[in-house]
Amino acid sequence: MGEIRLMMGNEAIAEAAVRAGCDGYFGYPITPQSEVLEYLMAENPYERTGMVVLQAESEVASINMLYGGGAAGKRVMTTSSSPGISLMMEGISYMAGAEIPCLIANVVRGGPGLGTIQPSQSDYFQATKGGGHGDYYLFVLAPSSVQEMSDFVKLGFEIAFKYRNPVMILSDGVIGQVMEKVELFDPIPRRTEEEIIKECPWATTGKTPDRERNIITSLDLDPIRQEKHVMHLKEKYDKMKEDVMWENIKTDDAEYLIVAYGSSARISQKTIDLARAEGIKVGLFRPITLYPFPDKELERLSKQVKGILSVEMSLGQLVEDVRLAVHDRVPVEHYGRVGGSIHTPFQVLNALKEKIVNKY
Amino acid sequence: MDVKFESWKEIIKDENIVFKKTKVLTDNVLSYCPGCGHGVAHRLIAETIEEMGIQDQTIGIAPVGCSVLAYEFFDIDMQQAAHGRATALATAIKRLYPNKFVFTYQGDGDLAAIGGNETLHACNRGENIVIIFINNGIYGMTGGQMAPTTLEGMVTSTSPYGRDPQMMGHPLRITELVAMLPGTYYVTRQAVHKPANVRKTKKAIRKAFENQQQNKGLSFIEIVSNCNSGWKMTPVEANKWMEENMFKVFPLGDIKVDGELVKEL
Ligand SMILES: Cc1ncc(C[n+]2csc(CCOP(=O)(O)OP(=O)(O)O)c2C)c(N)n1
Ligand code: SF4
């Protein structure tokens, strides 16, 4: 068993980065995720593993530092919260186009604009539908516990290098700030330069006489070649479906279904217990990867239920993917508090009764 | 015909060669306008890399501007960056690979306008990199719009009646600005329009890469260059105009050497 600690979600991400053999962290302070950079600065991982930590001058700079390091084959990551992630969109699009692996964690806060520093899930569209310009997708992981904040750092790096694509951990202010027990995985050593050259033959590590020069770019002015490149990206996005992840909770005998991810899934877990105590047979479907979305499994579950409530702290973003997955076969309604307010299990229960159980 | 061919063969012999294209430049045809300074600047960087024997350890970064395709011309590993962000990339590469040589190659719009913040902070942190800054007073790639370095009164497609400093700001001398930061080690302004200037620029580039080799810190080389297309002049007229007008606002010479200012700012 790994080392057990009581940690904040943000601290768990930071500690997991050091343990996952991360080579460089570049970030800029913003609430509610500044603890990641603070933890790393205090921990001084350069002494522990040789990992570089740098406070950048902006999120624009941090994401472009990831571009430089990732394009040279290094395991690089950044964390931020909604306004900062918006600033990174240009760089993320470039990295998707140039096929550069990296890990980005968004500890979401309410918006739009400067919004609030309280938790929200209103960046779902931005994370799962591209976000920046152009035809691209990120691989998106949605942790719903401090444990997963740690585990998904390791997994995130694996996926980023498997697909040569940026990976986003989409959490929120609840998961970032809450303290929970976490079992830390055993440290993985940082890769040596020889290992990077072997595993990432595309990386700009210096043109040795035995190979052609490596060029990292998202530019190709020839539309026929650019089309070919975008179609190659599409094949990659299709292949990502191999790694789709979800969790079914009490769905075997469910007549109704709640779909929720991240902290809303934690809250809804309590709701299904409350509902079942009243005799309402409801289960919870928790997408763990938001892109690729686990639509096949949701479609399967939709065949056994009378109605679905999609619960998220937003005006209704996840609900669009839920509707697409179930093809109007069953009624799908949305419930969620917005602007940094968090729904309680009872509020979710009331919404479930009002919008679904009493109607269908 | 045969006679001519044979005489060609007699002249081109190893012992007669006085100049050869460096192997660090590829054989791809340059995308620059004839007479533009970009091509010469490329050659000088490539020659320096060859002479120092660091082709296999050098990573170059070209962001957006006429030199966006620089990776087609340098036979080294290269990254293409978003407009203005080259020094952020360079910061990470150098910190993650302290033993490699890292340089950026940026235009004035790129380095001084959209990338102003990245430039200032990379310089202020004293990243151990080389920045090559091509100042042609205009946005070449997008068709001759006003740059932060556009001279007062200069006509561009977005200052069609001349740059009015009251409305459009003053020409930005970012090289003087970064020279004042403790993080910069070597700051110089050169040109490549005449053989004597080419030789000086080459020396400056060599010094900059040697500074990096010796972990001295950041070297910043501005090359005042023409954009004959954007200025709507012939190459000869453009070089003359550059000498008469650009050099007044952007005087050539070293500004900071070995971490010490050598010129009053
Ligand atoms: C974010 C963004 N904004 C605008 C552009 C369009 N653009 C391309 S190059 C350029 C200016 C380049 O001028 P400069 O850096 O001076 O280089 P030059 O072409 O003169 O060598 C602009 C505005 C872009 N590519 N990206
Ligand atoms: S447009 Fe100007 S800067 Fe660009 S290649 Fe032509 S002359 Fe050079």
Side-chain angles (χ1 to χ4, degrees), chain A residues 115-267:
Chain A
T116 164
I117 57 171
Q118 301 301 325
S120 186
Q121 294 182 304
S122 45
D123 294 355
Y124 180 92
F125 282 155
Q126 189 193 49
T128 61
K129 310 291 175 197
H133 60 283
D135 263 332
Y136 79 90
Y137 292 96
L138 304 178
F139 192 101
V140 185
L141 288 159
S144 78
S145 62
V146 174
Q147 183 65 51
E148 285 183 340
M149 286 290 247
S150 163
D151 295 345
F152 289 178
V153 170
K154 187 175 159 195
L155 177 66
F157 276 125
E158 282 165 17
I159 300 234
F161 278 86
K162 175 175 176 186
Y163 294 109
R164 271 188 73 180
N165 203 66
V167 169
M168 179 172 279
I169 295 177
L170 189 71
S171 73
D172 60 63
V174 176
I175 308 292
Q177 295 288 323
V178 76
M179 284 190 107
E180 287 185 324
K181 186 182 94 171
V182 50
E183 184 185 337
L184 296 164
F185 56 87
D186 291 334
I188 308 163
R190 286 176 51 243
R191 288 174 307 172
T192 62
E193 195 175 325
E194 289 67 38
E195 285 167 341
I196 289 173
I197 289 170
K198 214 165 142 237
E199 284 171 37
C200 312
W202 45 265
T204 59
T205 47
K207 181 204 175 295
T208 42
D210 57 332
R211 67 159 167 86
E212 291 295 302
R213 68 192 191 285
N214 282 340
I215 296 166
I216 300 289
T217 182
S218 59
L219 174 77
D220 197 331
L221 294 169
D222 181 317
I224 303 296
R225 281 201 309 257
Q226 184 66 259
E227 181 178 46
K228 235 174 114 182
H229 174 64
V230 176
M231 291 313 289
H232 155 72
L233 296 181
K234 181 188 182 307
E235 274 172 30
K236 219 166 66 166
Y237 304 139
D238 289 343
K239 197 164 181 297
M240 283 178 187
K241 296 201 173 97
E242 284 172 13
D243 288 300
V244 70
M245 288 162 67
W246 68 85
E247 186 184 12
N248 291 339
I249 298 169
K250 299 188 180 162
T251 52
D252 286 352
D253 63 344
E255 292 170 3
Y256 300 98
L257 194 65
I258 290 177
V259 181
Y261 71 94
S263 53
S264 279
R266 288 291 287 278
I267 294 162

Side-chain angles (χ1 to χ4, degrees), chain B residues 53-69:
Chain B
I54 55 171
Q55 186 180 14
D56 58 345
Q57 304 152 53
T58 305
I59 298 159
I61 301 149
V64 188
C66 278
S67 54
V68 68
L69 290 171

Side-chain angles (χ1 to χ4, degrees), chain A residues 1-39:
Chain A
M1 209 157 93
E3 187 187 339
I4 302 219
R5 277 202 228 166
L6 182 68
M7 292 184 113
M8 275 174 98
N10 288 337
E11 291 170 344
I13 283 197
E15 177 59 31
V18 188
R19 288 173 180 247
C22 177
D23 298 298
Y25 172 93
F26 305 90
Y28 187 82
I30 183 170
T31 309
Q33 67 76 52
S34 298
E35 293 83 6
V36 183
L37 179 58
E38 287 167 354
Y39 181 96

Side-chain angles (χ1 to χ4, degrees), chain B residues 31-38 66 136 138-141 226-230:
Chain B
S31 50
Y32 305 112
C33 306
C36 171
H38 273 306
C66 278
N136 54 20
I138 207 159
Y139 286 8
M141 189 197 205
N226 72 50
C227 173
N228 50 74
S229 290

Side-chain angles (χ1 to χ4, degrees), chain A residues 317-336:
Chain A
Q317 302 188 13
L318 165 75
V319 67
E320 293 194 2
D321 282 338
V322 176
R323 287 200 176 112
L324 279 175
V326 306
H327 306 295
D328 279 339
R329 191 174 285 111
V330 288
V332 176
E333 297 293 340
H334 159 262
Y335 173 72

Side-chain angles (χ1 to χ4, degrees), chain A residues 22-29 33 36-38 40-42 44-46 50-59 61-66 76-79 88, chain B residues 87-96 118 121-122 124-128:
Chain A
C22 177
D23 298 298
Y25 172 93
F26 305 90
Y28 187 82
Q33 67 76 52
V36 183
L37 179 58
E38 287 167 354
L40 286 171
M41 283 297 185
N44 195 6
Y46 195 78
M51 172 181 167
V52 168
V53 182
L54 181 66
Q55 177 167 338
E57 62 270 31
S58 69
E59 290 86 350
S62 354
I63 195 70
N64 282 285
M65 289 171 181
L66 261 58
V76 285
M77 72 178 279
T78 187
T79 58
M88 292 185 191
Chain B
T87 51
L89 275 65
T91 295
I93 302 169
K94 186 67 189 182
R95 285 186 181 232
L96 294 167
E118 285 78 12
H121 285 276
N124 194 46
R125 285 190 303 262
E127 300 295 341
N128 188 26

Side-chain angles (χ1 to χ4, degrees), chain B residues 241-253:
Chain B
W241 190 88
M242 178 173 74
E243 283 186 327
E244 287 167 3
N245 299 279
M246 292 283 281
F247 291 175
K248 267 192 221 145
V249 182
F250 303 110
L252 304 188

